[in-house]
Amino acid sequence: MRSFLAFLLVMIPLAAQAQAEEPEGSVMEGLDDMADAIVWLTTRRWEGPRTPAPAPQTRPMVSYRLESSFSRVAVHAPDTVSPVYAERVLRILEGVASRLDVEGWPRPLPDGGLGGSSAFDLYLTPTDALAEGRSDGRCIWSYLDAAIAHGVVDPSLTGIDLEAAITSAYAQGVLLGLDPAEASEWHRAAASWLAWRTTGQFGPADSGSRQQQESWRSWVGDGAGQGEGGALFLAMMSERHDGGSGDFVRDLWQLTRQRTWDGVDLRAAPDLWQAIHRALSVGGDQLHATVEDLAVARWFLGEREDHSHFHELRGLGADATVRPVFTGSVDAMPLHTRASHPIETYGTAYATIDTKNAPPKSRLRVWLRGEYGVEWALTASRVSSDGRELARLSAPPRRGDRRSYLPVELTDDTEYVMISVTNLSHRLPDADDPDPNARAFRLIFDLVQEGQEPDYDLATTLQ
């Protein structure tokens, strides 16, 4: 009874604000305003993050178009592009669309004849990005947020670069239709990954080598905008969780979809990082554990790929080899490293210790001292002379504690110990916003034999 009286105390003043003249068709004076007040008080409001919708872009000027007779795609080109080249682009585009159809990806949304028909339009025109999907504006008839899109490919490309570019541009058009609120770097990353699945190359300007050579970078969201880091991450996630079929990654994009029914900016959650976190949790896995595992796995790519667990990623080339930021030997213990380059969220730095001259039954002790504000993952792998990972030991990350410790029991077949240090941040990253959680660390090593203690002051060493 009291709650009903309280409701009336709120509603009566609102209803009293009724205009002198009721709208035509009103049944009772003040009833319309009371109904509006009830809706205003009871409707749930979105309080999550928002992001601007991709800005519509004017389509390039062209002279002619070629449309497929059996696939809903078309190619547009200026006079400077030969019809022979445009015809080849059309054939490649038809193959890309057919393959993604077979793999279960939706097609780009029809554009209402903006390019002369409802087909997906690919324009051959110079672009610094080499390949991109561009928005034509929000799709107003879609229940879920979606954008109509067209593709652009630079006509200077040839060979495998051209095939990767066409795949990337078409895939970005697909992804704009699925989730226009997602960060453009994730669009580029997923499109580059799909290009790699089709052509063996991560997009026309992406090779994966930079992400490996600068392993301290975030996978996605560091501002580089190229997508090769996210493409490599998605490739490893796919092989880990769906055997390389691509089903896991495709379904992640379905988890990110939402509907914005109020306001202008789009709802930005759930984003792809949140979808990955949730999908792994439902499967009994953890994102932090996965990131830590992938940090070790990426060490065994490039020149070390003969012993990689990710067979699909073999063949990336020597440029995709991770380099350690610190190398040492058991002959010069104890060792202290200098402060590292700041490690971005989910980025990793590596160190190696040569253990060939380690005495029998000895133990390498590893201490991590990281900066405050993030969680740290510390992993040590014993590696044989032929490059195989013999064993792995991890220190569980602890919230609020920047310190970790690992004792590594050395064996006769251990050539060196590889130590990986990963910044797990304190929250999920957001590719839409700059990440302020880059942190540095340092490492301390010493060697002890069974039943012996070092002849130096350990307390001083750990400072």
Side-chain angles (χ1 to χ4, degrees):
M1 183 65 180
R2 290 181 179 178
S3 60
F4 178 72
L5 291 175
F7 177 76
L8 289 178
L9 290 174
V10 173
M11 297 304 302
I12 290 174
L14 291 174
Q17 298 176 7
Q19 297 179 356
E21 296 183 2
E22 290 296 320
E24 184 178 353
S26 178
V27 177
M28 182 182 300
E29 182 179 352
L31 182 61
D32 295 307
D33 292 279
M34 178 173 285
D36 290 341
I38 292 174
V39 172
W40 184 85
L41 286 172
T42 58
T43 300
R44 296 180 60 185
R45 291 169 181 78
W46 174 256
E47 297 178 355
R50 290 182 180 268
T51 187
Q57 300 190 45
T58 303
R59 295 195 173 198
M61 297 295 293
V62 293
S63 302
Y64 65 93
R65 66 189 293 268
L66 301 175
E67 186 166 354
S68 172
S69 58
F70 63 87
S71 184
R72 194 162 54 84
V73 295
V75 172
H76 302 250
D79 288 334
T80 54
V81 175
S82 72
V84 174
Y85 184 90
E87 183 72 26
R88 184 181 176 218
V89 170
L90 181 61
R91 298 284 85 82
I92 296 173
L93 182 58
E94 289 172 339
V96 170
S98 297
R99 172 159 184 170
L100 294 190
D101 280 350
V102 171
E103 293 186 356
W105 290 88
R107 290 206 162 197
L109 296 173
D111 59 13
L114 292 176
S117 71
S118 62
F120 174 78
D121 300 298
L122 183 68
Y123 291 81
L124 300 176
T125 188
T127 170
D128 292 338
L130 299 182
E132 55 184 322
R134 296 178 178 177
S135 172
D136 291 308
R138 293 180 63 178
C139 180
I140 60 175
W141 48 262
S142 174
Y143 180 78
L144 298 176
D145 293 344
I148 298 169
H150 62 277
V152 174
V153 166
D154 196 303
S156 66
L157 298 174
T158 59
I160 195 68
D161 288 334
L162 178 61
E163 294 185 34
I166 294 170
T167 305
S168 178
Y170 180 85
Q172 289 179 61
V174 171
L175 297 171
L176 281 168
L178 281 175
D179 186 10
E182 188 53 84
S184 59
E185 281 192 53
W186 266 127
H187 285 162
R188 178 66 181 266
S192 294
W193 166 71
L194 285 168
W196 171 77
R197 284 177 49 79
T198 303
T199 67
Q201 181 170 316
F202 287 115
D206 306 334
S207 65
S209 58
R210 182 189 172 198
Q211 187 69 26
Q212 288 290 89
Q213 293 170 3
E214 300 176 0
S215 60
W216 48 266
R217 294 169 54 217
S218 295
W219 292 103
V220 169
D222 66 346
Q226 293 302 306
E228 63 180 14
L232 184 60
F233 179 82
L234 292 177
M236 290 194 288
M237 290 290 288
S238 175
E239 189 163 354
R240 176 186 170 101
H241 293 284
D242 61 33
S245 69
D247 294 345
F248 178 78
V249 177
R250 185 196 64 227
D251 292 344
L252 286 176
W253 282 91
Q254 294 293 340
L255 291 178
T256 67
R257 306 194 70 187
Q258 60 267 316
R259 180 186 178 209
T260 302
W261 64 75
D262 56 339
V264 177
D265 291 342
L266 301 178
R267 297 186 176 190
D271 63 11
L272 203 61
W273 279 121
Q274 292 170 320
I276 292 171
H277 179 267
R278 182 58 179 168
L280 295 178
S281 299
V282 170
D285 205 348
Q286 294 183 341
L287 179 56
H288 280 184
T290 299
V291 168
E292 186 176 353
D293 190 41
L294 297 185
V296 176
R298 68 191 298 189
W299 175 263
F300 295 96
L301 296 177
E303 295 175 349
R304 309 181 188 97
E305 66 180 18
D306 288 345
H307 300 285
S308 173
H309 298 297
F310 294 100
H311 300 282
E312 295 293 330
L313 285 167
R314 295 182 180 182
L316 294 180
D319 289 343
T321 304
V322 172
R323 304 299 180 188
V325 297
F326 177 81
T327 58
S329 170
V330 295
D331 297 327
M333 293 289 170
L335 292 173
H336 298 246
T337 71
R338 295 181 178 180
S340 69
H341 187 285
I343 311 300
E344 297 176 2
T345 298
Y346 296 161
T348 304
Y350 301 84
T352 58
I353 300 295
D354 186 337
T355 62
K356 290 191 296 292
N357 297 329
K361 298 183 179 180
S362 56
R363 181 170 67 251
L364 177 69
R365 302 195 294 183
V366 184
W367 287 269
L368 167 69
R369 295 295 181 264
E371 287 188 311
Y372 288 101
V374 301
E375 293 184 33
W376 293 97
L378 174 65
T379 301
S381 297
R382 292 193 295 106
V383 183
S384 66
S385 58
D386 63 353
R388 291 180 298 109
E389 185 184 20
L390 300 172
R392 185 187 310 176
L393 184 65
S394 298
R398 294 175 291 182
R399 183 177 296 274
D401 193 342
R402 64 188 180 93
R403 302 169 299 173
S404 289
Y405 166 72
L406 283 177
V408 184
E409 300 289 343
L410 302 179
T411 56
D412 295 338
D413 55 353
T414 303
E415 180 81 0
Y416 69 91
V417 175
M418 183 273 289
I419 297 92
S420 63
V421 179
T422 303
N423 178 354
L424 299 179
S425 191
H426 62 88
R427 62 175 177 84
L428 286 175
D430 188 340
D432 288 305
D433 299 320
D435 188 354
N437 295 309
R439 298 289 190 276
F441 70 91
R442 60 190 180 95
L443 292 169
I444 305 164
F445 303 93
D446 79 342
L447 186 73
V448 296
Q449 298 183 41
E450 185 177 4
Q452 297 182 351
E453 293 296 330
D455 57 0
Y456 49 82
D457 186 354
L458 185 59
T460 303
T461 301
L462 297 180
Q463 296 299 319

